[in-house]
Amino acid sequence: MKASTIFATLKTAAMSSSPTPIQAAFKTALQRELRGAVDPASREALMRAAAAACREQLAERWAATQAADAKRGVDAPVRRVHYLSMEFLMGRALGNAIAALGLDETLREAFAVQGQALPDVLERENDAALGNGGLGRLAACFLDSFAELGLPSFGYGLRYEYGMFAQGIQDGRQVERPDDWLRLGNAWEVPRADVRYAVGFGGRVEVDADGSRRWVPAETLVAQAYDFIVPAHHSERVSTLRQWHASAAAPIDFNAFCRGSYAQAAKHRVQADAINWVLYPDDSTDPGRELRLKQEALLVSASLQDLIARHLREFGSLHNLGKANAIHLNDTHPALAPAELMRLLLDEHGMVWDEAWAITRQAVSYTNHTLMPEALEKWPLYLFEALLPRHLEIIYEINHRFMEELKARFPGDEGLMSRVSLIEEDGGFGSGGERRVRMAHLAIVASHRVNGVAALHSELMVQTIFADYARIWPERFHNVTNGVTPRRWLQQANPALSSLIDSRIGKGWRKDLAELSKLKPLAEDAELGRQFRTVKRANKERLAALIRRELGIAVNPDSLFDVQIKRIHEYKRQLLNILHVVARYQAIVANPDANWVPRTVVIAGKAASAYQMAKSIIQLAHDVGRVVNSDPRVGDKLKLVFLPNYSVSLAETILPAAELSEQISTAGTEASGTGNMKFALNGALTIGTWDGANIEMAEAFGVENMFSFGLRTEAVAKIKSLGYDPRLYVEENRQLKAVIDAIASGEFSGGDTHRYRALVDKLLGHDSYLLMADFADYVATQLRVDALYQDPAAWNRRAILNVAGMGWFSSDRTIADYVERVWSVKSLS
Ligand SMILES: *Cc1c(COP(=O)(O)O)cnc(C)c1O
């Protein structure tokens, strides 16, 4: 079903757009903002003025959207969605707001009067990096689509004062610096002094005379809302990201203050404030930290109290809460939500268990983002008991009833019961023998829908980590393949390609990305191919200029731009990419006069601060780059550059310039990927494994139009089960052996044979991600890439076919699928 039909019923209160008065209002706001600014206005002043003016417009739209949603009625087919996520990787907002409001030309002129160019002003905005990577960026794309589709919704997150760390490089090594993104203030957020909720921690549970249970927390914090407004582009709807800021309920201990003990007086305040400090900088390991659990609990509690308050305002009763509201868990981080919702319904609103549980099950749904068992959060019981005693009681009760159900359905299957229990009794891997609460299990038991993020991932999810649950409740598991917003990732990031596409098929793709398929018959048009290449070439020059500015390295804009940008992780196999660079380097040195296709390999990405192997890979990229880039025998036949501090803004500059997209994770490890989609949308060809959404992309634009290589999931499993020996591959392949030997012997580390010993040992010993097994095919496929690049017409044709096939990968389609399969009232029956 098309998204537009689903939402047709909501459009009764549709607001029509009238650009001219907006432009007028904008000019007034800009003048007011600039009144106090020095003359000529600095770029920062212009940026803030423009943001403030946009915000004013959007705030009105926000109020109108809320009013329209409040009237949606008891029988609305679409529930209001509450998207709970510990991460939102928003990036900059001004360019998006300007495009949404249709103010590009107005602002271009206004800035020109001040002697400034629009892109230079936009660059002054801080990048809101309140997320680690793909999971957080997905949440940000979803907010854009919520607005675009007119879905009644709230995104809920935390207002971290320091986002993802800023990555610096010193002597080729990653150094982490705090990312002080609020330093210049945040023009987008609207502090909501009127939206505040108390959130408790610790203390004990008291039992009243009538047997009802009451939690008496030892510590109470106040969560206050800050709203971040996200505009639609083709209507006047806006969506909201509501971020919570914690403070102490009693900010200072007045007695201590009067005694002159200032540190003592401020203790509560500092403890509360710590919750706001930083985004937990790791999305792949069990954090095991009290502060993180407090952050999660605060997000969940404040968001659900907000939902309940709004629902009571709108409907006056809680009985239809589950029918009117969806609560979505973006991974297990907010998986405390069902326990907190039960607590609120039982203890604060006097509901009986069965009704509260039915409502919870209706409301809650959960997206799994990874098959790696170590990434499924588990909290030690003692920590839960200390911080959230009432929640633990409720979890025990949920588990007790669940176990009773299983006893009836699967009599005698003790193994099943202990595997699916919400409580890990004996302490599994990494538990140190303590009992733990399994948050993923809580999320599944309490959800009416659980989904994976690409077809392969959803399949593997029910075959591996959640196999037991899929046996118990097969109807609960679904797939919703990820997508990206075409507004940010094509329209704004790549204005030249956007105009070229507009000139051939019109502007409709911005709203309905499926319209890109109209490009398909045009792929044979040589003139379009040449124009396409001209656009790409200009984008490459822009990236080349950035590389020169940032790193002092001159790269040839006529070389093939081969790009891998994403979090640094062993399973994503940046190391395989570097091994190929070394192989190519050795081949060029051995045969410098061969007809080499000049290549510039670009890598960017952050490594989790405690992840030594990932940091070692970053260092190797620098070491290899230094040697290769300065070797006169190589010249511009090969360059390897590492661009520091990967972020949404950096991605927006790099993607439009990419010609080859590296999506080379070991088959079965990348849940979906969304970087892969952004590249293809910008006309890069993909060299990729049969993994995540690569598969669905290949199916969409034709497998023959992707450089597909490597072992597939079944082959990976088979090789591993037969006893994989990476050394055999090295011994058999002279090229691979030479590459490994060069790294091990210190050729890239100034003779230091120690630096990469751990890395090489791991490759030759376990090689869990099968780099050695995939190396030969990868290198051979890279040669096929070269061959095609030598035929520009053929390359252009394929690039256009890639873009033409990307219509399905819009986050608008993803959200329409969520509505259909997970969030609609229909999904409850
Ligand atoms: C899209 C995006 C990601 C996700 O990239 P993958 O290649 O899918 O891992 C991570 N970080 C940023 C800044 C992004 O824009």
Side-chain angles (χ1 to χ4, degrees), residues 484-751:
V484 298
T485 167
R487 271 78 61 186
R488 179 173 296 263
W489 295 112
L490 182 50
Q491 176 184 332
Q492 288 150 46
N494 202 340
L497 182 57
S498 299
S499 320
L500 178 58
I501 295 173
D502 291 349
S503 75
R504 294 305 182 104
I505 64 166
K507 289 176 182 248
W509 57 269
R510 294 148 194 250
K511 192 168 156 57
D512 179 8
L513 198 62
E515 291 197 7
L516 287 181
S517 66
K518 293 183 190 162
L519 285 171
K520 198 170 171 189
L522 305 179
E524 312 302 330
D525 180 340
E527 175 56 19
L528 178 61
R530 277 190 295 276
Q531 290 172 332
F532 200 89
R533 202 172 185 82
T534 307
V535 165
K536 186 60 85 180
R537 165 71 205 216
N539 291 334
K540 286 168 71 182
E541 272 175 29
R542 203 157 56 101
L543 180 57
L546 177 86
I547 292 170
R548 185 192 283 275
R549 210 164 54 236
E550 291 279 316
L551 304 171
I553 299 172
V555 304
N556 176 3
D558 286 319
S559 61
L560 190 168
F561 277 25
D562 168 351
V563 183
Q564 186 174 27
I565 50 176
K566 48 180 78 238
R567 285 300 294 259
I568 309 291
H569 212 293
E570 286 163 283
Y571 83 80
K572 291 177 183 278
R573 301 202 293 191
Q574 281 91 355
L575 184 51
L576 183 59
N577 185 354
I578 299 170
L579 296 182
H580 165 249
V581 171
V582 172
R584 183 169 285 250
Y585 169 63
Q586 292 175 335
I588 292 172
V589 169
N591 193 2
D593 299 324
N595 182 23
W596 292 104
V597 174
R599 252 198 215 228
T600 300
V601 177
V602 177
I603 300 179
K606 294 176 183 176
S609 50
Y611 190 172
Q612 286 314 321
M613 192 52 68
K615 288 182 148 179
S616 183
I617 292 168
I618 291 177
Q619 193 176 12
L620 181 64
H622 283 90
D623 279 345
V624 171
R626 206 183 45 252
V627 170
V628 170
N629 299 347
S630 62
D631 191 325
R633 296 169 293 181
V634 175
D636 65 5
K637 294 186 191 84
L638 183 60
K639 289 275 181 277
L640 170 59
V641 297
F642 186 99
L643 280 169
N645 207 23
Y646 182 49
S647 61
V648 170
S649 319
L650 189 58
E652 286 170 21
T653 312
I654 297 176
L655 289 161
E659 291 173 302
L660 186 65
S661 160
E662 298 272 353
Q663 307 299 337
I664 59 176
S665 51
T666 317
T669 61
E670 185 71 87
S672 161
T674 49
N676 46 4
M677 301 170 189
K678 301 170 201 165
F679 275 100
L681 198 55
N682 281 277
L685 301 188
T686 300
I687 182 166
T689 44
W690 207 243
D691 199 18
N694 294 353
I695 300 171
E696 286 152 90
M697 283 168 53
E699 285 163 356
F701 53 65
V703 186
E704 67 285 3
N705 294 316
M706 186 184 278
F707 295 102
S708 165
F709 77 96
L711 295 168
R712 297 195 175 190
T713 313
E714 316 78 59
V716 168
K718 185 153 180 224
I719 279 199
K720 285 192 165 176
S721 73
L722 293 175
Y724 171 56
D725 184 0
R727 277 174 209 272
L728 294 181
Y729 292 86
V730 181
E731 276 156 27
E732 267 175 21
N733 184 333
R734 289 205 346 252
Q735 191 178 28
L736 176 54
K737 183 159 189 338
V739 168
I740 301 289
D741 285 348
I743 294 170
S745 69
E747 197 177 318
F748 302 103
S749 43

Side-chain angles (χ1 to χ4, degrees), residues 435-454:
R435 299 170 76 208
R436 299 189 295 180
V437 183
R438 296 160 160 162
M439 301 309 285
H441 291 202
L442 175 58
I444 298 171
V445 171
S447 291
H448 71 289
R449 287 286 187 266
V450 176
N451 74 284
V453 290

